[in-house]
Amino acid sequence: MFLLQTRHMWAKLDIFAIALAVLLLLCPDEGAANGTVVSKSADRFWILWERVRYAGEHCPFGQDCNEMRSFSARPLTTNNTGFIFRLFGLQAPLAGSQPLPNTHPDAPSFCEKSSSSPGVEPLAMPKSEKGEVLRGVKALHLDLSNLKAPPGFRQDFGAKLQKQFSDILRGAGIQVVSKEALAQLPGQPVLNVYFSFSDPEELCDYTYSVFASLSQDVLLARDLRIKVAAGVWSFSTGSSARDHKGNEADAILAVATAFVRDHQRVNSH
């Protein structure tokens, strides 16, 4: 008799629990009825693919090796959430109420769906002064070896200028690196020097000109996902320039003097 009453009591408790659950589902809570925002959460899982590329010398662990990482992410659809929680060191029944575990120190940082990084709004930032593009440039790539020799100069015209030009930059604390080492430089700055001259039949009409441009990797302010190499500094001179003195070699070396002048102006403070 006692056993039958106990079973009857538990049956009533089961019916009460089911009814209460249905009631909670059908009736909103008092906070929701009064317009109070109810905080809820949902868990989504992603699978991440990391690819590591190396550039430079003595890779992958050498000092002169540059490491570049790229990532691809996809949503992970699975009903085995218990396994996922265990991967994060959590117990599945309690995972919803626990804070997220600390992120691995080597994990990549992801931005929200916008063109800017967290806390940075490029379009709202004031434009820098023109010379600021040279701030922090400690090394660059330069190659004058293929410059065509003008009339009256030897065929090693470009190679000789490469050394003189590099010495001027090095004296100002700016290192000239090889094309192979360029990939290791932040922004990959390249100083391009273009030299041209006329070749008339009468040397009385002979002219020459020099144009130089420093290019660096830059991000577009309207969309930081777009990175391009763009000219950020330039200088020109030649036989027709009012302030030019000397010959063709002097005109090319004037680029080095102008670059050092602008570089020191912005990096001296």
Side-chain angles (χ1 to χ4, degrees):
M1 185 65 177
F2 175 77
L3 181 60
L4 292 175
Q5 289 180 349
T6 303
R7 288 180 177 176
H8 184 66
M9 180 182 66
W10 281 112
K12 288 184 177 180
L13 289 176
D14 289 341
I15 295 174
F16 173 77
I18 294 173
L20 179 61
V22 172
L23 181 64
L24 291 175
L25 288 174
L26 295 178
C27 301
D29 61 5
E30 183 179 353
N34 295 332
T36 305
V37 177
V38 179
S39 176
K40 297 183 179 180
S41 64
D43 293 315
R44 298 178 64 189
F45 303 100
W46 295 78
I47 183 170
L48 183 67
W49 182 353
E50 176 185 12
R51 174 165 291 172
V52 183
R53 293 182 299 161
Y54 302 98
E57 301 177 355
H58 311 296
C59 290
F61 305 112
Q63 185 177 0
D64 297 329
C65 180
N66 187 42
E67 186 178 271
M68 296 169 288
R69 298 173 179 268
S70 58
F71 301 90
S72 179
R74 296 291 186 275
L76 178 61
T77 303
T78 177
N79 293 324
N80 191 4
T81 55
F83 171 72
I84 300 298
F85 287 131
R86 288 193 295 273
L87 284 178
F88 282 90
L90 302 175
Q91 297 297 323
L94 302 176
S97 60
Q98 292 182 357
L100 291 177
N102 293 332
T103 301
H104 192 280
D106 293 337
S109 299
F110 290 94
C111 303
E112 298 296 331
K113 290 184 178 180
S114 66
S115 61
S116 60
S117 300
V120 177
E121 184 54 54
L123 294 177
M125 295 175 60
K127 288 187 177 181
S128 302
E129 296 183 5
K130 188 175 181 179
E132 287 293 320
V133 295
L134 300 183
R135 183 177 296 278
V137 176
K138 300 179 180 179
L140 53 82
H141 174 63
L142 169 75
D143 187 4
L144 305 178
S145 59
N146 293 324
L147 290 183
K148 184 179 179 180
F153 286 85
R154 295 169 45 180
Q155 293 303 313
D156 61 349
F157 175 76
K160 184 177 180 180
L161 279 176
Q162 174 76 19
K163 182 180 184 309
Q164 293 176 307
F165 204 113
S166 299
D167 289 342
I168 295 175
L169 296 182
R170 193 175 298 110
I174 306 169
Q175 183 183 3
V176 177
V177 303
S178 65
K179 188 175 182 180
E180 291 72 23
L182 175 63
Q184 306 174 39
L185 297 182
Q188 300 191 14
V190 178
L191 185 56
N192 298 291
V193 178
Y194 306 95
F195 172 62
S196 61
F197 54 88
S198 62
D199 193 11
E201 295 180 359
E202 296 182 6
L203 292 180
C204 294
D205 297 328
Y206 174 75
T207 60
Y208 56 87
S209 63
V210 180
F211 175 76
S213 174
L214 178 74
S215 65
Q216 296 187 79
D217 290 344
V218 299
L219 302 177
L220 293 184
R222 64 174 175 81
D223 192 338
L224 293 183
R225 296 169 298 181
I226 301 176
K227 181 173 71 173
V228 296
V232 296
W233 178 91
S234 62
F235 177 81
S236 62
T237 187
S239 56
S240 59
R242 294 183 178 180
D243 58 346
H244 171 58
K245 296 179 181 179
N247 56 20
E248 294 90 333
D250 296 321
I252 295 175
L253 294 178
V255 175
T257 303
F259 186 86
V260 168
R261 177 199 64 207
D262 293 346
H263 184 274
Q264 291 180 340
R265 184 178 298 167
V266 70
N267 287 280
S268 61
H269 56 81

Short mmCIF file of all heavy atoms in Angstrom, two decimals, residues 24 41 43 56 59 90 125 130 133 143 147 149 161-163 174 181 184 186 213 217:
data_model
loop_
_atom_site.label_atom_id
_atom_site.label_comp_id
_atom_site.label_asym_id
_atom_site.label_seq_id
_atom_site.Cartn_x
_atom_site.Cartn_y
_atom_site.Cartn_z
N LEU A 24 5.89 27.82 -18.35
CA LEU A 24 7.01 28.72 -18.53
C LEU A 24 7.27 29.01 -20.00
O LEU A 24 7.71 30.09 -20.37
CB LEU A 24 8.28 28.14 -17.88
CG LEU A 24 8.26 28.09 -16.34
CD1 LEU A 24 9.51 27.38 -15.83
CD2 LEU A 24 8.18 29.51 -15.76
N SER A 41 22.14 34.12 -24.72
CA SER A 41 23.39 33.82 -25.42
C SER A 41 23.21 32.59 -26.28
O SER A 41 22.32 31.76 -26.04
CB SER A 41 24.53 33.61 -24.42
OG SER A 41 24.26 32.47 -23.62
N ASP A 43 25.79 29.74 -28.62
CA ASP A 43 27.15 29.31 -28.94
C ASP A 43 27.25 28.91 -30.40
O ASP A 43 26.41 28.18 -30.92
CB ASP A 43 27.55 28.11 -28.06
CG ASP A 43 27.67 28.49 -26.60
OD1 ASP A 43 28.27 29.54 -26.32
OD2 ASP A 43 27.15 27.73 -25.75
N GLY A 56 63.01 34.81 -46.88
CA GLY A 56 64.28 35.26 -46.35
C GLY A 56 65.30 34.15 -46.33
O GLY A 56 65.25 33.21 -47.14
N CYS A 59 65.54 29.77 -43.16
CA CYS A 59 64.20 29.47 -42.69
C CYS A 59 64.09 28.01 -42.24
O CYS A 59 64.84 27.16 -42.73
CB CYS A 59 63.18 29.75 -43.80
SG CYS A 59 62.98 31.52 -44.16
N LEU A 90 35.88 22.32 -20.79
CA LEU A 90 34.65 22.61 -20.07
C LEU A 90 33.77 21.37 -20.00
O LEU A 90 33.84 20.50 -20.88
CB LEU A 90 33.87 23.74 -20.75
CG LEU A 90 34.60 25.08 -20.93
CD1 LEU A 90 33.72 26.03 -21.72
CD2 LEU A 90 34.94 25.68 -19.57
N MET A 125 40.42 59.91 -38.71
CA MET A 125 41.76 60.35 -38.33
C MET A 125 42.20 61.52 -39.20
O MET A 125 41.94 61.54 -40.40
CB MET A 125 42.75 59.20 -38.47
CG MET A 125 42.50 58.03 -37.55
SD MET A 125 43.63 56.64 -37.87
CE MET A 125 45.22 57.44 -37.55
N LYS A 130 53.00 65.60 -44.97
CA LYS A 130 53.59 64.83 -46.07
C LYS A 130 54.85 64.09 -45.66
O LYS A 130 55.07 62.94 -46.03
CB LYS A 130 53.88 65.78 -47.23
CG LYS A 130 54.32 65.08 -48.50
CD LYS A 130 54.49 66.06 -49.64
CE LYS A 130 54.90 65.34 -50.92
NZ LYS A 130 55.06 66.29 -52.04
N VAL A 133 55.57 60.18 -43.83
CA VAL A 133 55.72 58.86 -44.46
C VAL A 133 57.14 58.32 -44.31
O VAL A 133 57.36 57.12 -44.50
CB VAL A 133 55.35 58.93 -45.96
CG1 VAL A 133 53.88 59.25 -46.13
CG2 VAL A 133 56.21 59.95 -46.69
N ASP A 143 68.32 50.00 -56.24
CA ASP A 143 69.14 49.34 -57.26
C ASP A 143 69.36 50.30 -58.43
O ASP A 143 68.45 50.56 -59.21
CB ASP A 143 68.47 48.05 -57.74
CG ASP A 143 69.37 47.26 -58.68
OD1 ASP A 143 70.53 47.67 -58.89
OD2 ASP A 143 68.91 46.22 -59.21
N LEU A 147 71.17 51.48 -64.50
CA LEU A 147 71.02 52.79 -65.12
C LEU A 147 71.91 52.89 -66.37
O LEU A 147 73.09 52.54 -66.33
CB LEU A 147 71.38 53.91 -64.14
CG LEU A 147 70.43 54.15 -62.97
CD1 LEU A 147 70.91 55.33 -62.15
CD2 LEU A 147 69.00 54.38 -63.46
N ALA A 149 74.30 54.45 -69.01
CA ALA A 149 75.33 55.48 -68.92
C ALA A 149 75.08 56.57 -69.95
O ALA A 149 74.90 56.28 -71.14
CB ALA A 149 76.71 54.87 -69.13
N LEU A 161 77.38 54.68 -59.05
CA LEU A 161 76.41 55.50 -58.35
C LEU A 161 75.72 54.74 -57.22
O LEU A 161 75.35 55.32 -56.19
CB LEU A 161 75.36 56.03 -59.32
CG LEU A 161 75.75 57.25 -60.14
CD1 LEU A 161 74.66 57.59 -61.14
CD2 LEU A 161 76.02 58.44 -59.23
N GLN A 162 75.52 53.43 -57.41
CA GLN A 162 74.91 52.61 -56.36
C GLN A 162 75.71 52.71 -55.07
O GLN A 162 75.14 52.87 -53.99
CB GLN A 162 74.83 51.15 -56.82
CG GLN A 162 74.34 50.16 -55.77
CD GLN A 162 72.84 50.22 -55.55
OE1 GLN A 162 72.11 50.72 -56.40
NE2 GLN A 162 72.38 49.72 -54.41
N LYS A 163 77.03 52.63 -55.18
CA LYS A 163 77.88 52.70 -53.99
C LYS A 163 77.84 54.10 -53.39
O LYS A 163 77.71 54.25 -52.16
CB LYS A 163 79.31 52.31 -54.35
CG LYS A 163 80.25 52.32 -53.16
CD LYS A 163 81.65 51.92 -53.55
CE LYS A 163 82.55 51.84 -52.32
NZ LYS A 163 82.51 53.03 -51.45
N ILE A 174 70.52 55.10 -42.65
CA ILE A 174 69.52 54.39 -43.45
C ILE A 174 70.23 53.27 -44.21
O ILE A 174 71.12 53.54 -45.04
CB ILE A 174 68.82 55.33 -44.44
CG1 ILE A 174 68.23 56.53 -43.71
CG2 ILE A 174 67.73 54.59 -45.21
CD1 ILE A 174 67.76 57.63 -44.62
N ALA A 181 66.24 40.57 -49.06
CA ALA A 181 65.98 41.00 -47.68
C ALA A 181 64.83 41.99 -47.58
O ALA A 181 64.36 42.30 -46.49
CB ALA A 181 67.25 41.63 -47.08
N GLN A 184 61.58 41.28 -45.58
CA GLN A 184 61.61 41.31 -44.13
C GLN A 184 61.38 42.71 -43.56
O GLN A 184 61.18 42.87 -42.36
CB GLN A 184 62.97 40.80 -43.64
CG GLN A 184 63.34 39.43 -44.18
CD GLN A 184 64.74 39.03 -43.80
OE1 GLN A 184 65.19 39.30 -42.69
NE2 GLN A 184 65.46 38.38 -44.71
N PRO A 186 59.44 46.10 -42.65
CA PRO A 186 58.05 46.57 -42.48
C PRO A 186 57.67 47.57 -43.57
O PRO A 186 58.36 48.55 -43.79
CB PRO A 186 58.09 47.25 -41.10
CG PRO A 186 59.27 46.66 -40.40
CD PRO A 186 60.27 46.39 -41.47
N SER A 213 61.05 58.06 -56.57
CA SER A 213 59.83 57.83 -55.81
C SER A 213 60.06 56.72 -54.81
O SER A 213 60.60 55.66 -55.15
CB SER A 213 58.68 57.45 -56.75
OG SER A 213 57.52 57.09 -56.02
N ASP A 217 54.15 49.75 -48.73
CA ASP A 217 52.85 49.10 -48.63
C ASP A 217 51.94 49.95 -47.76
O ASP A 217 52.30 50.29 -46.62
CB ASP A 217 52.99 47.70 -48.03
CG ASP A 217 53.67 46.73 -48.97
OD1 ASP A 217 53.75 47.05 -50.18
OD2 ASP A 217 54.11 45.66 -48.52
#
